[in-house]
mmCIF file of all heavy atoms in Angstrom:
data_model
loop_
_atom_site.group_PDB
_atom_site.id
_atom_site.type_symbol
_atom_site.label_atom_id
_atom_site.label_comp_id
_atom_site.label_asym_id
_atom_site.label_seq_id
_atom_site.Cartn_x
_atom_site.Cartn_y
_atom_site.Cartn_z
ATOM 1 N N THR J 147 -52.118 71.672 -4.335
ATOM 2 C CA THR J 147 -51.513 71.299 -3.050
ATOM 3 C C THR J 147 -50.458 72.322 -2.646
ATOM 4 O O THR J 147 -49.846 72.976 -3.494
ATOM 5 C CB THR J 147 -50.834 69.916 -3.127
ATOM 6 O OG1 THR J 147 -49.828 69.948 -4.139
ATOM 7 C CG2 THR J 147 -51.847 68.829 -3.460
ATOM 8 N N ALA J 148 -50.305 72.437 -1.331
ATOM 9 C CA ALA J 148 -49.239 73.277 -0.779
ATOM 10 C C ALA J 148 -48.586 72.485 0.334
ATOM 11 O O ALA J 148 -49.255 72.086 1.288
ATOM 12 C CB ALA J 148 -49.816 74.589 -0.258
ATOM 13 N N GLY J 149 -47.284 72.246 0.200
ATOM 14 C CA GLY J 149 -46.605 71.340 1.125
ATOM 15 C C GLY J 149 -46.013 72.016 2.348
ATOM 16 O O GLY J 149 -45.516 71.344 3.239
ATOM 17 N N ASN J 150 -46.066 73.339 2.401
ATOM 18 C CA ASN J 150 -45.537 74.001 3.595
ATOM 19 C C ASN J 150 -46.281 75.307 3.866
ATOM 20 O O ASN J 150 -47.092 75.765 3.061
ATOM 21 C CB ASN J 150 -44.036 74.248 3.484
ATOM 22 C CG ASN J 150 -43.701 75.134 2.287
ATOM 23 O OD1 ASN J 150 -44.230 76.233 2.153
ATOM 24 N ND2 ASN J 150 -42.833 74.633 1.411
ATOM 25 N N TYR J 151 -45.991 75.879 4.998
ATOM 26 C CA TYR J 151 -46.668 77.073 5.487
ATOM 27 C C TYR J 151 -46.546 78.249 4.524
ATOM 28 O O TYR J 151 -47.523 78.878 4.139
ATOM 29 C CB TYR J 151 -46.058 77.434 6.843
ATOM 30 C CG TYR J 151 -46.679 78.611 7.522
ATOM 31 C CD1 TYR J 151 -47.782 78.455 8.337
ATOM 32 C CD2 TYR J 151 -46.150 79.882 7.368
ATOM 33 C CE1 TYR J 151 -48.351 79.536 8.988
ATOM 34 C CE2 TYR J 151 -46.710 80.972 8.002
ATOM 35 C CZ TYR J 151 -47.811 80.798 8.810
ATOM 36 O OH TYR J 151 -48.365 81.869 9.423
ATOM 37 N N ALA J 152 -45.327 78.499 4.096
ATOM 38 C CA ALA J 152 -45.064 79.667 3.254
ATOM 39 C C ALA J 152 -45.811 79.566 1.930
ATOM 40 O O ALA J 152 -46.481 80.520 1.499
ATOM 41 C CB ALA J 152 -43.561 79.791 3.006
ATOM 42 N N LEU J 153 -45.736 78.401 1.321
ATOM 43 C CA LEU J 153 -46.391 78.193 0.036
ATOM 44 C C LEU J 153 -47.903 78.313 0.181
ATOM 45 O O LEU J 153 -48.585 78.915 -0.665
ATOM 46 C CB LEU J 153 -46.010 76.807 -0.495
ATOM 47 C CG LEU J 153 -46.401 76.479 -1.934
ATOM 48 C CD1 LEU J 153 -45.866 77.534 -2.893
ATOM 49 C CD2 LEU J 153 -45.857 75.095 -2.314
ATOM 50 N N ALA J 154 -48.415 77.761 1.274
ATOM 51 C CA ALA J 154 -49.849 77.807 1.521
ATOM 52 C C ALA J 154 -50.328 79.253 1.627
ATOM 53 O O ALA J 154 -51.323 79.647 1.013
ATOM 54 C CB ALA J 154 -50.187 77.046 2.804
ATOM 55 N N LEU J 155 -49.586 80.049 2.387
ATOM 56 C CA LEU J 155 -49.943 81.452 2.585
ATOM 57 C C LEU J 155 -49.960 82.192 1.267
ATOM 58 O O LEU J 155 -50.852 83.002 0.978
ATOM 59 C CB LEU J 155 -48.925 82.096 3.535
ATOM 60 C CG LEU J 155 -49.508 82.989 4.624
ATOM 61 C CD1 LEU J 155 -50.554 82.226 5.413
ATOM 62 C CD2 LEU J 155 -48.396 83.471 5.531
ATOM 63 N N ASN J 156 -48.970 81.910 0.465
ATOM 64 C CA ASN J 156 -48.863 82.527 -0.848
ATOM 65 C C ASN J 156 -50.080 82.200 -1.711
ATOM 66 O O ASN J 156 -50.708 83.092 -2.285
ATOM 67 C CB ASN J 156 -47.579 82.037 -1.524
ATOM 68 C CG ASN J 156 -47.399 82.680 -2.890
ATOM 69 O OD1 ASN J 156 -47.946 83.754 -3.152
ATOM 70 N ND2 ASN J 156 -46.639 82.018 -3.747
ATOM 71 N N LYS J 157 -50.443 80.932 -1.755
ATOM 72 C CA LYS J 157 -51.576 80.513 -2.593
ATOM 73 C C LYS J 157 -52.875 81.123 -2.101
ATOM 74 O O LYS J 157 -53.710 81.583 -2.885
ATOM 75 C CB LYS J 157 -51.680 78.982 -2.599
ATOM 76 C CG LYS J 157 -50.540 78.302 -3.338
ATOM 77 C CD LYS J 157 -51.006 77.054 -4.065
ATOM 78 C CE LYS J 157 -49.868 76.519 -4.951
ATOM 79 N NZ LYS J 157 -50.345 75.575 -5.949
ATOM 80 N N ILE J 158 -53.030 81.094 -0.797
ATOM 81 C CA ILE J 158 -54.269 81.628 -0.209
ATOM 82 C C ILE J 158 -54.455 83.091 -0.558
ATOM 83 O O ILE J 158 -55.554 83.550 -0.852
ATOM 84 C CB ILE J 158 -54.236 81.448 1.324
ATOM 85 C CG1 ILE J 158 -54.567 79.996 1.684
ATOM 86 C CG2 ILE J 158 -55.215 82.387 2.003
ATOM 87 C CD1 ILE J 158 -54.312 79.665 3.116
ATOM 88 N N ASN J 159 -53.355 83.815 -0.530
ATOM 89 C CA ASN J 159 -53.448 85.250 -0.764
ATOM 90 C C ASN J 159 -53.607 85.616 -2.241
ATOM 91 O O ASN J 159 -53.961 86.739 -2.562
ATOM 92 C CB ASN J 159 -52.222 85.952 -0.178
ATOM 93 C CG ASN J 159 -52.309 86.031 1.345
ATOM 94 O OD1 ASN J 159 -53.399 86.226 1.891
ATOM 95 N ND2 ASN J 159 -51.193 85.857 2.008
ATOM 96 N N ASN J 160 -53.336 84.671 -3.113
ATOM 97 C CA ASN J 160 -53.388 85.002 -4.534
ATOM 98 C C ASN J 160 -54.490 84.307 -5.317
ATOM 99 O O ASN J 160 -54.780 84.700 -6.435
ATOM 100 C CB ASN J 160 -52.041 84.704 -5.172
ATOM 101 C CG ASN J 160 -50.973 85.667 -4.683
ATOM 102 O OD1 ASN J 160 -51.080 86.874 -4.887
ATOM 103 N ND2 ASN J 160 -49.987 85.148 -3.980
ATOM 104 N N TYR J 161 -55.079 83.286 -4.716
ATOM 105 C CA TYR J 161 -56.143 82.587 -5.432
ATOM 106 C C TYR J 161 -57.341 82.367 -4.522
ATOM 107 O O TYR J 161 -57.223 82.434 -3.304
ATOM 108 C CB TYR J 161 -55.644 81.231 -5.948
ATOM 109 C CG TYR J 161 -54.397 81.339 -6.786
ATOM 110 C CD1 TYR J 161 -53.143 81.143 -6.219
ATOM 111 C CD2 TYR J 161 -54.492 81.633 -8.149
ATOM 112 C CE1 TYR J 161 -51.994 81.245 -6.976
ATOM 113 C CE2 TYR J 161 -53.342 81.735 -8.920
ATOM 114 C CZ TYR J 161 -52.093 81.545 -8.333
ATOM 115 O OH TYR J 161 -50.957 81.655 -9.091
ATOM 116 N N ASP J 162 -58.465 82.074 -5.136
ATOM 117 C CA ASP J 162 -59.663 81.759 -4.356
ATOM 118 C C ASP J 162 -60.006 80.285 -4.519
ATOM 119 O O ASP J 162 -59.933 79.732 -5.606
ATOM 120 C CB ASP J 162 -60.848 82.613 -4.821
ATOM 121 C CG ASP J 162 -60.757 84.014 -4.261
ATOM 122 O OD1 ASP J 162 -60.228 84.173 -3.148
ATOM 123 O OD2 ASP J 162 -61.207 84.964 -4.942
ATOM 124 N N TYR J 163 -60.416 79.676 -3.412
ATOM 125 C CA TYR J 163 -60.797 78.262 -3.441
ATOM 126 C C TYR J 163 -62.205 78.103 -2.860
ATOM 127 O O TYR J 163 -62.698 78.980 -2.157
ATOM 128 C CB TYR J 163 -59.797 77.417 -2.636
ATOM 129 C CG TYR J 163 -58.396 77.529 -3.166
ATOM 130 C CD1 TYR J 163 -57.507 78.476 -2.642
ATOM 131 C CD2 TYR J 163 -57.955 76.721 -4.205
ATOM 132 C CE1 TYR J 163 -56.221 78.586 -3.138
ATOM 133 C CE2 TYR J 163 -56.669 76.831 -4.706
ATOM 134 C CZ TYR J 163 -55.808 77.769 -4.173
ATOM 135 O OH TYR J 163 -54.532 77.892 -4.666
ATOM 136 N N ASP J 164 -62.785 76.957 -3.132
ATOM 137 C CA ASP J 164 -64.087 76.684 -2.550
ATOM 138 C C ASP J 164 -63.942 76.112 -1.151
ATOM 139 O O ASP J 164 -64.807 76.264 -0.296
ATOM 140 C CB ASP J 164 -64.864 75.692 -3.435
ATOM 141 C CG ASP J 164 -65.243 76.326 -4.757
ATOM 142 O OD1 ASP J 164 -66.142 77.171 -4.755
ATOM 143 O OD2 ASP J 164 -64.605 75.990 -5.779
ATOM 144 N N CYS J 165 -62.841 75.444 -0.961
ATOM 145 C CA CYS J 165 -62.647 74.766 0.316
ATOM 146 C C CYS J 165 -61.158 74.519 0.523
ATOM 147 O O CYS J 165 -60.409 74.358 -0.446
ATOM 148 C CB CYS J 165 -63.423 73.442 0.301
ATOM 149 S SG CYS J 165 -63.290 72.493 1.823
ATOM 150 N N ILE J 166 -60.741 74.525 1.779
ATOM 151 C CA ILE J 166 -59.340 74.288 2.091
ATOM 152 C C ILE J 166 -59.210 73.119 3.072
ATOM 153 O O ILE J 166 -59.876 73.097 4.109
ATOM 154 C CB ILE J 166 -58.696 75.552 2.700
ATOM 155 C CG1 ILE J 166 -58.637 76.649 1.633
ATOM 156 C CG2 ILE J 166 -57.303 75.250 3.246
ATOM 157 C CD1 ILE J 166 -58.232 78.002 2.167
ATOM 158 N N LEU J 167 -58.367 72.178 2.709
ATOM 159 C CA LEU J 167 -58.045 71.094 3.643
ATOM 160 C C LEU J 167 -56.755 71.481 4.338
ATOM 161 O O LEU J 167 -55.762 71.768 3.671
ATOM 162 C CB LEU J 167 -57.835 69.773 2.904
ATOM 163 C CG LEU J 167 -59.003 69.215 2.129
ATOM 164 C CD1 LEU J 167 -58.650 67.826 1.602
ATOM 165 C CD2 LEU J 167 -60.238 69.141 3.014
ATOM 166 N N LEU J 168 -56.783 71.488 5.645
ATOM 167 C CA LEU J 168 -55.647 72.030 6.378
ATOM 168 C C LEU J 168 -55.079 71.045 7.381
ATOM 169 O O LEU J 168 -55.730 70.669 8.353
ATOM 170 C CB LEU J 168 -56.095 73.308 7.110
ATOM 171 C CG LEU J 168 -55.084 74.009 8.005
ATOM 172 C CD1 LEU J 168 -53.859 74.419 7.215
ATOM 173 C CD2 LEU J 168 -55.725 75.194 8.685
ATOM 174 N N ASP J 169 -53.849 70.630 7.138
ATOM 175 C CA ASP J 169 -53.139 69.804 8.117
ATOM 176 C C ASP J 169 -52.542 70.743 9.159
ATOM 177 O O ASP J 169 -51.978 71.781 8.809
ATOM 178 C CB ASP J 169 -52.017 69.013 7.425
ATOM 179 C CG ASP J 169 -51.337 68.046 8.386
ATOM 180 O OD1 ASP J 169 -51.893 67.811 9.472
ATOM 181 O OD2 ASP J 169 -50.240 67.560 8.055
ATOM 182 N N LEU J 170 -52.675 70.385 10.432
ATOM 183 C CA LEU J 170 -52.219 71.310 11.482
ATOM 184 C C LEU J 170 -50.708 71.338 11.642
ATOM 185 O O LEU J 170 -50.124 72.347 12.001
ATOM 186 C CB LEU J 170 -52.869 70.937 12.826
ATOM 187 C CG LEU J 170 -54.347 71.291 12.935
ATOM 188 C CD1 LEU J 170 -54.860 70.942 14.321
ATOM 189 C CD2 LEU J 170 -54.576 72.773 12.648
ATOM 190 N N MET J 171 -50.073 70.216 11.372
ATOM 191 C CA MET J 171 -48.633 70.169 11.600
ATOM 192 C C MET J 171 -47.861 70.322 10.302
ATOM 193 O O MET J 171 -47.826 69.399 9.478
ATOM 194 C CB MET J 171 -48.245 68.879 12.314
ATOM 195 C CG MET J 171 -48.336 69.033 13.817
ATOM 196 S SD MET J 171 -47.789 67.583 14.707
ATOM 197 C CE MET J 171 -49.126 66.453 14.385
ATOM 198 N N LEU J 172 -47.272 71.474 10.163
ATOM 199 C CA LEU J 172 -46.475 71.745 8.967
ATOM 200 C C LEU J 172 -45.023 71.938 9.380
ATOM 201 O O LEU J 172 -44.750 72.327 10.519
ATOM 202 C CB LEU J 172 -46.995 73.010 8.292
ATOM 203 C CG LEU J 172 -48.451 72.921 7.807
ATOM 204 C CD1 LEU J 172 -48.950 74.276 7.348
ATOM 205 C CD2 LEU J 172 -48.570 71.899 6.682
ATOM 206 N N PRO J 173 -44.108 71.668 8.465
ATOM 207 C CA PRO J 173 -42.677 71.746 8.851
ATOM 208 C C PRO J 173 -42.264 73.153 9.257
ATOM 209 O O PRO J 173 -41.430 73.313 10.148
ATOM 210 C CB PRO J 173 -41.954 71.293 7.576
ATOM 211 C CG PRO J 173 -42.948 71.474 6.477
ATOM 212 C CD PRO J 173 -44.289 71.254 7.079
ATOM 213 N N ASP J 174 -42.842 74.169 8.636
ATOM 214 C CA ASP J 174 -42.366 75.527 8.912
ATOM 215 C C ASP J 174 -43.413 76.427 9.557
ATOM 216 O O ASP J 174 -43.319 77.658 9.497
ATOM 217 C CB ASP J 174 -41.866 76.176 7.609
ATOM 218 C CG ASP J 174 -42.950 76.183 6.535
ATOM 219 O OD1 ASP J 174 -43.914 75.404 6.682
ATOM 220 O OD2 ASP J 174 -42.847 76.963 5.583
ATOM 221 N N GLY J 175 -44.427 75.830 10.181
ATOM 222 C CA GLY J 175 -45.405 76.703 10.825
ATOM 223 C C GLY J 175 -46.595 75.936 11.350
ATOM 224 O O GLY J 175 -46.735 74.730 11.156
ATOM 225 N N ASP J 176 -47.456 76.680 12.003
ATOM 226 C CA ASP J 176 -48.623 76.083 12.638
ATOM 227 C C ASP J 176 -49.860 76.283 11.768
ATOM 228 O O ASP J 176 -50.131 77.389 11.302
ATOM 229 C CB ASP J 176 -48.829 76.739 14.008
ATOM 230 C CG ASP J 176 -49.943 76.078 14.796
ATOM 231 O OD1 ASP J 176 -50.566 75.143 14.253
ATOM 232 O OD2 ASP J 176 -50.171 76.481 15.943
ATOM 233 N N GLY J 177 -50.608 75.197 11.552
ATOM 234 C CA GLY J 177 -51.812 75.283 10.745
ATOM 235 C C GLY J 177 -52.808 76.296 11.276
ATOM 236 O O GLY J 177 -53.513 76.960 10.504
ATOM 237 N N PHE J 178 -52.864 76.425 12.586
ATOM 238 C CA PHE J 178 -53.789 77.394 13.176
ATOM 239 C C PHE J 178 -53.485 78.823 12.721
ATOM 240 O O PHE J 178 -54.377 79.652 12.600
ATOM 241 C CB PHE J 178 -53.747 77.319 14.703
ATOM 242 C CG PHE J 178 -54.537 76.161 15.269
ATOM 243 C CD1 PHE J 178 -54.090 75.475 16.381
ATOM 244 C CD2 PHE J 178 -55.740 75.774 14.691
ATOM 245 C CE1 PHE J 178 -54.827 74.415 16.908
ATOM 246 C CE2 PHE J 178 -56.474 74.716 15.211
ATOM 247 C CZ PHE J 178 -56.014 74.036 16.318
ATOM 248 N N ASP J 179 -52.215 79.086 12.476
ATOM 249 C CA ASP J 179 -51.846 80.428 12.018
ATOM 250 C C ASP J 179 -52.407 80.715 10.638
ATOM 251 O O ASP J 179 -52.779 81.847 10.322
ATOM 252 C CB ASP J 179 -50.326 80.588 12.017
ATOM 253 C CG ASP J 179 -49.763 80.633 13.432
ATOM 254 O OD1 ASP J 179 -50.518 81.060 14.325
ATOM 255 O OD2 ASP J 179 -48.612 80.228 13.638
ATOM 256 N N ILE J 180 -52.453 79.680 9.814
ATOM 257 C CA ILE J 180 -53.049 79.853 8.486
ATOM 258 C C ILE J 180 -54.526 80.175 8.624
ATOM 259 O O ILE J 180 -55.071 81.042 7.943
ATOM 260 C CB ILE J 180 -52.845 78.578 7.644
ATOM 261 C CG1 ILE J 180 -51.357 78.452 7.284
ATOM 262 C CG2 ILE J 180 -53.704 78.618 6.380
ATOM 263 C CD1 ILE J 180 -51.022 77.229 6.484
ATOM 264 N N LEU J 181 -55.154 79.489 9.577
ATOM 265 C CA LEU J 181 -56.563 79.727 9.843
ATOM 266 C C LEU J 181 -56.778 81.175 10.281
ATOM 267 O O LEU J 181 -57.691 81.869 9.801
ATOM 268 C CB LEU J 181 -57.005 78.756 10.945
ATOM 269 C CG LEU J 181 -58.464 78.359 11.037
ATOM 270 C CD1 LEU J 181 -59.030 77.983 9.690
ATOM 271 C CD2 LEU J 181 -58.618 77.194 12.006
ATOM 272 N N LYS J 182 -55.913 81.640 11.155
ATOM 273 C CA LYS J 182 -56.012 83.022 11.635
ATOM 274 C C LYS J 182 -55.855 84.001 10.473
ATOM 275 O O LYS J 182 -56.603 84.972 10.357
ATOM 276 C CB LYS J 182 -54.928 83.307 12.684
ATOM 277 C CG LYS J 182 -55.233 82.705 14.060
ATOM 278 C CD LYS J 182 -54.073 82.978 15.015
ATOM 279 C CE LYS J 182 -54.106 81.987 16.190
ATOM 280 N NZ LYS J 182 -52.800 81.886 16.861
#
Side-chain angles (χ1 to χ4, degrees):
Chain J
T147 59
N150 60 55
Y151 183 87
L153 190 54
L155 224 54
N156 181 23
K157 291 215 172 196
I158 282 169
N159 285 323
N160 291 299
Y161 306 96
D162 282 328
Y163 301 93
D164 292 287
C165 180
I166 293 171
L167 298 187
L168 177 59
D169 185 14
L170 287 183
M171 272 184 288
L172 298 171
D174 57 342
D176 186 358
F178 281 143
D179 290 332
I180 290 179
L181 205 47
K182 284 177 201 160

